[in-house]
Amino acid sequence: MAETTFIPFEKVKTVRDTPLEEMYTSGHRTCQGCESAMVMRHFSKAAGPRTIATGSTGCMYVANTSYMTTPWIIPWMHTQLGAGGSSAVGTSAALRALMRKGKIAEEKINVIAFCGDLGGGDMGLSGISAALQTDYDLLIILYDNESAANTDIQATGMTTYGAQTTFTPPGTKHRIMQHRWKKNVAPMLAVGHPTCRYVATASATYPPLDFHNKVRKALSIGGPTFIHTFDPCPKGWDYHPQYSREIGELGIKSGIFPLYEIIDGTVSYSYDARKRARTPVREYLVKQGRFAHIIDEDIDYIQSMVDSMWNEWEIPGVAPFKGGLEPAKN
Amino acid sequence: MIKRVEINYRGIFQKTLAKRIGGDIVIIASRMGKVGFSNGRYSDSPERNGIPCKYFAFVSPDLEEEELEAECGAKLDIDEADVSVVVDDTMVKGVEPWGWHGVRPINEKVVEKGCLLVVSRKRHDELTRFTARTPYSYRLATIDGDASLAGLWVFKDDLTHERVLGAIAAVDPAIIAIDAVEAYLLAKTKQEHRARAAREAYDAVLRQTSVVTPEQGIAWPHETPELPPWHAFEEGAVVRAPARHFEMGPGGQSRNASFKRGTTKTLRPVIRFDLCISCTLCWLDCPDECFDPVEGRLYDVSYAYCVGCGKCADVCPIPECIVMVDELQFDSDASPWEHYRSDPDGYTRWAEEKKGTARYAYPHVTGTGFEIRERESVAPKDLG
């Protein structure tokens, strides 16, 4: 087995070692209990003041910078829905050119582009793919609230099987309208871009500091990097905002959203749902109004899919190949 | 003649409720032979949990539908309302909507002799001590009840919808009449208890209406932001960031001064600094960056920016250290830690008095219930 690559980076070990200063501050238009706002807060805190962020259209654009006010202290620029990858490449290339020409001082300036699950996982996927083939230093964060949440919750390629959205309302004839299983974006990008050195999944609040350190690691390793975050959404998932952290924790502990890093092609689990007892997905599902219409049969199906991810996949929770390599039969 | 009704509601939590009230006013009016239409305020969409929003219903006995729409449709906001319905009483402290309007008085649109109709268990003087003074008199009516908060998919069917319709018939019969409300509810649902709920609210509101005179209320302390004209925008539509600043202490972190969002909350966290074990979790997990680190490893809270999500109270490991308390109990957004530092015992007594013994308990799926529980027992000496 390949050795895990050592990344020289300053790991934050306790909450007291995190910077006290905010780079994304109070006064935004996100929902009560917004977990995507936690992603914004912690990536900017981890990256620090010498950072430029670009944001694709989506909740974290519209909720933060509409109507001539902003909570961003670091420079931030809006970019189009599918342009997360290209805006990161453009910004990073511009910085390199300005430094080469001596127009700005040589220094490390972090470039971070964030996009939602529609902007990153569906529409902007080709742009992210192109960005991950470059040699520019950039980090793309896909904040995934499993819907087009800004426009009042439409289904995307990342919406969990069975969930209610405005595109997938349960009816008397068809109980389940969201038939698609969640798109497996982070491994897709890792498999397809062998020179991309760092791909990870994370949750902003669980385990504590995990996301914070993953951002620091991604920025330290250099080149194009990618992090996919799991963001419970009180609006679209229909739970009371005070439970945001708990829903996220249950998502990780039930194994429905695997947490791992892929560093130079080696997978390491941040929460190993094979070794640690997985909680039943039922506990996660029944606490959300978007699953209020599903019945035991559906919960059993979702549980069987999650079990298959962890028990049958060649790389559990990551790559959906089963049964190893077989010689060609014909 | 046009009658205008606005329904002030909490974004997402009461979206379905407000939409049903607005829509049903139109249907009931049309069953009475009038013309009506209903819409949401344009700038409120996309809604966010808790942010104050508005839904409108317009009714006319004599105009054609096209004329009514031309008069009332596609406007950012209305200029006046015959009835302003408020389905969460904490909005009487002011509403700062999603679009850039500033913190506005809840009774801003109510016309002379019009009515502010609030779902509340409070006495009328407990509400008017927050509303803005007006140059004329208007009426205040209350429907006895708690704010009915639900979610986007699971609606809380607790008869608030029917009771508000009955109450509107009581405060202004020229909009809809109670007989028509009852007939419609019976025809639509075949359930007598819904019609009865509307009638009972109608009777109760007739008894629970008072007149608010120009002497009542407060001088409004919030300024309305001045929107830049098109030629005042900077190149590239640049928006100036808050200046970078951090120091220990209350307000030591720079924040977005032109949009604060504190009127989003129905409950605020009250902190017992003497019980705090400095675990940092409230600060770490606050999605609105409201906690300010202060000396002694404590965390002050900036109420002007707190949106009352309740996450801090949920993650706090110490019972009774952070408790969510009804927002209408508070007049000031001043730093609680400065109060504590200047008078520790006085602060603790004040905090306990505000907290009382009732605790608000929401289930995971917001629309499936709501309870007021007695606080779990904590040794009295620990509670000061």
Side-chain angles (χ1 to χ4, degrees):
Chain A
M1 202 173 174
E3 291 270 309
T4 307
T5 310
F6 174 74
I7 304 175
F9 86 110
E10 205 183 318
K11 185 175 178 178
V12 169
K13 294 201 176 89
T14 73
V15 177
R16 290 194 194 287
D17 299 328
T18 56
L20 292 172
E21 183 176 4
E22 309 293 345
M23 295 296 145
Y24 166 80
T25 188
S26 314
H28 31 92
R29 294 176 170 87
T30 49
C31 286
Q32 289 178 343
C34 178
E35 285 291 283
S36 297
M38 295 297 293
V39 172
M40 302 297 116
R41 182 182 174 206
H42 282 292
F43 94 66
S44 58
K45 202 184 257 295
R50 302 306 283 168
T51 300
I52 297 174
T54 70
S56 297
T57 308
C59 256
M60 291 302 106
Y61 151 49
V62 177
N64 287 320
T65 40
S66 305
Y67 300 103
M68 304 301 290
T69 77
T70 179
W72 288 106
I73 287 174
I74 54 171
W76 172 93
M77 187 192 79
H78 168 230
T79 189
Q80 293 307 314
L81 187 53
S86 46
S87 71
V89 172
T91 308
S92 195
L95 288 173
R96 185 187 285 180
L98 288 168
M99 286 178 200
R100 192 185 61 229
K101 290 178 181 172
K103 301 217 167 153
I104 58 174
E106 286 270 350
E107 66 167 315
K108 164 103 173 152
I109 295 178
N110 304 310
V111 174
I112 300 179
F114 59 83
C115 42
D117 45 305
L118 178 65
D122 290 346
M123 192 177 168
L125 200 53
S126 61
I128 295 174
S129 172
L132 295 187
Q133 285 189 310
T134 66
D135 66 344
Y136 292 111
D137 292 340
L138 53 92
L139 166 62
I140 294 169
I141 295 175
L142 189 157
Y143 68 94
D144 177 9
N145 47 32
E146 303 196 333
S147 65
N150 182 49
T151 43
D152 282 354
I153 320 301
Q154 288 78 30
T156 71
M158 317 285 274
T159 306
T160 298
Y161 173 88
Q164 176 168 2
T165 66
T166 39
F167 280 178
T168 59
T172 46
K173 209 159 179 181
H174 299 288
R175 188 176 62 251
I176 302 269
M177 292 297 287
Q178 172 63 11
H179 297 284
R180 300 180 289 194
W181 194 254
K182 190 179 176 70
K183 196 188 280 186
N184 202 9
V185 171
M188 182 200 303
L189 293 172
V191 168
H193 307 85
T195 52
C196 167
R197 298 187 63 200
Y198 189 85
V199 170
T201 63
S203 153
T205 47
Y206 185 83
L209 301 181
D210 182 60
F211 173 59
H212 195 94
N213 279 316
K214 281 173 176 165
V215 170
R216 296 177 73 94
K217 239 186 218 184
L219 295 172
S220 298
I221 199 167
T225 51
F226 179 83
I227 297 177
H228 175 186
T229 66
F230 175 66
D231 304 1
C233 168
K235 171 181 171 180
W237 299 16
D238 191 357
Y239 61 85
H240 191 276
Q242 77 182 71
Y243 301 113
S244 276
R245 189 189 181 284
E246 182 187 338
I247 300 284
E249 187 172 336
L250 283 170
I252 307 300
K253 287 187 167 171
S254 66
I256 199 165
F257 189 87
L259 281 196
Y260 50 81
E261 293 172 299
I262 304 172
I263 304 167
D264 285 332
T266 307
V267 176
S268 65
Y269 293 99
S270 320
Y271 183 90
D272 195 339
R274 295 168 306 170
K275 293 184 183 145
R276 300 161 89 160
R278 265 185 285 130
T279 54
V281 286
R282 173 183 296 273
E283 281 179 39
Y284 167 73
L285 299 173
V286 298
K287 289 178 174 165
Q288 301 171 48
R290 64 173 174 157
F291 296 114
H293 59 289
I294 68 173
I295 60 174
D296 285 353
E297 193 183 299
D298 307 325
I299 294 177
D300 292 344
Y301 172 72
I302 296 171
Q303 184 68 61
S304 74
M305 288 292 279
V306 173
D307 289 344
S308 163
M309 272 165 67
W310 289 99
N311 300 334
E312 294 169 28
W313 287 14
E314 189 79 348
I315 305 173
V318 181
F321 307 120
K322 295 175 188 172
L325 299 171
E326 292 285 329
K329 288 206 173 78
N330 45 18
Chain B
M1 186 191 70
I2 302 170
K3 284 283 184 186
R4 295 172 175 84
V5 182
E6 62 170 17
I7 301 127
N8 291 277
Y9 67 99
R10 291 283 178 202
I12 302 297
F13 288 131
Q14 299 180 314
K15 183 186 167 89
T16 310
L17 175 67
K19 201 172 177 176
R20 288 189 186 186
I21 294 170
D24 279 356
I25 291 173
V26 173
I27 298 172
I28 294 165
S30 67
R31 284 167 65 105
M32 294 169 69
K34 302 180 199 182
V35 167
F37 86 94
S38 173
N39 57 6
R41 179 168 56 186
Y42 171 73
S43 59
D44 287 341
S45 177
E47 276 175 30
R48 310 290 164 175
N49 281 30
I51 292 191
C53 299
K54 275 187 193 181
Y55 218 85
F56 305 118
F58 307 99
V59 172
S60 174
D62 44 20
L63 292 180
E64 294 292 323
E65 197 169 327
E66 292 73 25
E67 291 176 293
L68 182 65
E69 273 201 44
E71 194 63 38
C72 303
K75 282 190 180 162
L76 192 60
D77 206 337
I78 55 173
D79 299 325
E80 51 182 45
D82 297 282
V83 178
S84 280
V85 181
V86 184
V87 281
D88 176 357
D89 62 1
T90 53
M91 284 192 281
V92 303
K93 289 189 76 171
V95 283
E96 186 182 24
W98 208 88
W100 201 17
H101 302 248
V103 181
R104 298 296 187 90
I106 194 71
N107 54 331
E108 187 184 28
K109 307 293 183 189
V110 182
V111 296
E112 186 168 4
K113 299 195 175 78
C115 186
L116 183 67
L117 177 63
V118 188
V119 177
S120 180
R121 295 197 188 281
K122 299 280 192 296
R123 294 189 318 269
H124 288 195
D125 62 317
E126 289 176 299
L127 301 175
T128 52
R129 74 191 184 94
F130 295 112
T131 54
R133 239 176 255 154
T134 49
Y136 48 80
S137 298
Y138 62 95
R139 292 171 296 149
L140 172 64
T142 46
I143 307 170
D144 205 29
D146 297 306
S148 175
L149 303 189
L152 198 54
W153 311 124
V154 179
F155 179 63
K156 188 180 284 174
D157 185 8
D158 59 0
L159 301 175
T160 302
H161 161 229
E162 289 81 356
R163 295 164 70 226
V164 169
L165 290 173
I168 291 171
V171 299
D172 197 340
I175 298 168
I176 45 175
I178 184 64
D179 296 339
V181 173
E182 282 182 311
Y184 165 70
L185 291 173
L186 273 176
K188 188 185 169 199
T189 66
K190 315 265 185 295
Q191 292 174 326
E192 273 183 26
H193 73 280
R194 297 191 187 275
R196 208 181 314 124
R199 172 66 75 171
E200 281 167 11
Y202 172 86
D203 292 336
V205 163
L206 287 180
R207 293 191 303 270
Q208 278 165 217
T209 305
S210 63
V211 173
V212 184
T213 61
E215 292 78 49
Q216 287 169 282
I218 55 170
W220 198 244
H222 304 280
E223 280 178 29
T224 303
E226 213 171 295
L227 301 171
W230 64 269
H231 52 81
F233 280 74
E234 290 185 56
E235 215 171 298
V238 166
V239 177
R240 294 281 153 192
R244 188 183 165 197
H245 181 81
F246 177 80
E247 61 185 86
M248 294 286 281
Q253 169 68 50
S254 59
R255 296 189 158 99
N256 180 4
S258 45
F259 188 80
K260 294 184 179 164
R261 206 160 81 102
T263 66
T264 295
K265 59 184 169 293
T266 58
L267 304 172
R268 71 162 60 177
V270 170
I271 304 167
R272 278 285 305 274
F273 295 102
D274 57 317
L275 300 179
C276 176
I277 56 164
S278 309
C279 74
T280 73
L281 287 181
C282 55
W283 172 79
L284 184 72
D285 278 347
C286 177
D288 287 274
E289 302 84 28
C290 293
F291 286 90
D292 282 318
V294 293
E295 64 191 55
R297 291 194 162 190
L298 295 174
Y299 293 89
D300 187 30
V301 60
S302 175
Y303 288 126
Y305 289 90
C306 169
V307 302
C309 66
K311 222 175 143 193
C312 50
D314 194 65
V315 299
C316 180
I318 303 299
E320 292 292 318
C321 182
I322 303 183
V323 168
M324 300 305 289
V325 178
D326 174 20
E327 176 65 11
L328 284 186
Q329 296 231 34
F330 304 93
D331 294 300
S332 159
D333 285 345
S335 154
W337 176 75
E338 280 179 345
H339 183 178
Y340 172 71
R341 189 176 54 165
S342 65
D343 177 13
D345 293 340
Y347 173 81
T348 301
R349 275 196 305 279
W350 173 87
E352 278 309 309
E353 189 201 316
K354 292 292 183 193
K355 282 160 63 179
T357 58
R359 298 289 175 265
Y360 296 92
Y362 286 98
H364 283 85
V365 180
T366 319
T368 57
F370 165 68
E371 277 180 74
I372 296 177
R373 295 181 192 148
E374 279 297 296
R375 75 163 176 227
E376 283 159 42
S377 78
V378 173
K381 69 173 167 49
D382 295 336
L383 285 175

